[in-house]
Amino acid sequence: GMEDGMEDHIQGPDMEQDVDYESFEDEDVEAGEEGLLELKSLSHFARLDTMVTVVDALNIYDVLASLETLAEKNIAGMTGNDEETDDRSIAQLMLDQIEFANVILLSKVHLMKDASAVEEIRALLQKLNPYAKIIVPSEAHFADVPLSDLINTHLFDMEKAESSAGWMQELAKAADGGHTPETEEYD
């Protein structure tokens, strides 16, 4: 699977030279139970440093309401296996990524006209993940974000990730045989 490809990459000929940092995008690492197991496996070969989630400030309003509702349902343990709309799947994936992040980087902030809307988004993200560092750049292309905010932060903690509520629910659902693999769930 994907995990084998990433392990091969980390251990393979590409890595024979000294490499200080390697980044993987969300297409490379799944959210949910599969992603956690994959990360745990990768941690045998490299130190996992920071989980960064980029949130589009311009388009988050499209899923804001469903994100908050979904977060409340997840906390109450009310999300089941019933088929809901595609919007729920996209919102759930985004929520998984926000809840799991060590750093949440808000993009396209420089295009937003309303500073109070940016603050509202920042506050919601902090509510959804009280432990994450929220970065709100003011310049395009993250020009004012120091690399040290994203790399070599030592913020990722596997034990904390394994014990976070969302992941516990995923693992419990999987144990009950009720989890739909993300590869099917988000297609």
Side-chain angles (χ1 to χ4, degrees), residues 79-99:
T79 53
N81 299 322
D82 54 333
E83 290 297 318
E84 293 186 27
T85 64
D86 286 349
D87 288 347
R88 187 213 164 271
S89 297
I90 292 165
Q92 182 65 57
L93 180 60
M94 183 183 270
L95 183 62
D96 288 347
Q97 292 174 343
I98 289 168
E99 288 178 338

Side-chain angles (χ1 to χ4, degrees), residues 1-69:
M2 184 87 60
E3 173 184 318
D4 296 333
M6 287 171 55
E7 281 181 20
D8 290 346
H9 176 73
I10 289 173
Q11 296 177 323
D14 295 347
M15 291 294 155
E16 286 178 3
Q17 71 276 12
D18 287 335
V19 174
D20 292 326
Y21 304 102
E22 178 76 28
S23 68
F24 296 98
E25 294 188 39
D26 63 354
E27 297 92 39
D28 299 325
V29 181
E30 288 193 56
E33 171 203 1
E34 294 93 348
L36 187 61
L37 295 173
E38 190 174 321
L39 290 173
K40 192 165 188 156
S41 171
L42 288 173
S43 70
H44 298 295
F45 307 103
R47 178 178 60 84
L48 301 176
D49 181 68
T50 314
M51 296 298 291
V52 179
T53 294
V54 179
V55 174
D56 182 332
L58 288 178
N59 296 310
I60 192 170
Y61 283 112
D62 295 341
V63 287
L64 263 184
S66 54
L67 269 183
E68 221 164 354
T69 305

Side-chain angles (χ1 to χ4, degrees), residues 13-182:
D14 295 347
M15 291 294 155
E16 286 178 3
Q17 71 276 12
D18 287 335
V19 174
D20 292 326
Y21 304 102
E22 178 76 28
S23 68
F24 296 98
E25 294 188 39
D26 63 354
E27 297 92 39
D28 299 325
V29 181
E30 288 193 56
E33 171 203 1
E34 294 93 348
L36 187 61
L37 295 173
E38 190 174 321
L39 290 173
K40 192 165 188 156
S41 171
L42 288 173
S43 70
H44 298 295
F45 307 103
R47 178 178 60 84
L48 301 176
D49 181 68
T50 314
M51 296 298 291
V52 179
T53 294
V54 179
V55 174
D56 182 332
L58 288 178
N59 296 310
I60 192 170
Y61 283 112
D62 295 341
V63 287
L64 263 184
S66 54
L67 269 183
E68 221 164 354
T69 305
L70 208 48
E72 288 163 11
K73 283 183 181 178
N74 284 352
I75 289 165
M78 294 172 8
T79 53
N81 299 322
D82 54 333
E83 290 297 318
E84 293 186 27
T85 64
D86 286 349
D87 288 347
R88 187 213 164 271
S89 297
I90 292 165
Q92 182 65 57
L93 180 60
M94 183 183 270
L95 183 62
D96 288 347
Q97 292 174 343
I98 289 168
E99 288 178 338
F100 196 55
N102 304 118
V103 174
I104 300 172
L105 183 57
L106 210 51
S107 71
K108 302 180 185 168
V109 174
H110 66 286
L111 300 174
M112 305 241 345
K113 306 286 184 253
D114 184 359
S116 65
V118 174
E119 180 50 34
E120 186 182 319
I121 292 167
R122 193 206 61 72
L124 172 68
L125 293 171
Q126 199 70 77
K127 179 179 170 188
L128 292 173
N129 185 342
Y131 306 105
K133 177 178 184 175
I134 314 261
I135 300 175
V136 183
S138 53
E139 295 180 28
H141 309 293
F142 312 111
D144 58 330
V145 177
L147 206 50
S148 60
D149 283 356
L150 306 172
I151 292 179
N152 207 22
T153 65
H154 295 267
L155 290 171
F156 184 78
D157 179 340
M158 183 60 77
E159 284 182 29
K160 199 180 287 183
E162 287 180 307
S163 64
S164 72
W167 302 106
M168 294 296 278
Q169 286 178 6
E170 283 291 320
L171 293 170
K173 275 196 276 181
D176 293 340
H179 176 73
T180 305
E182 312 252 326

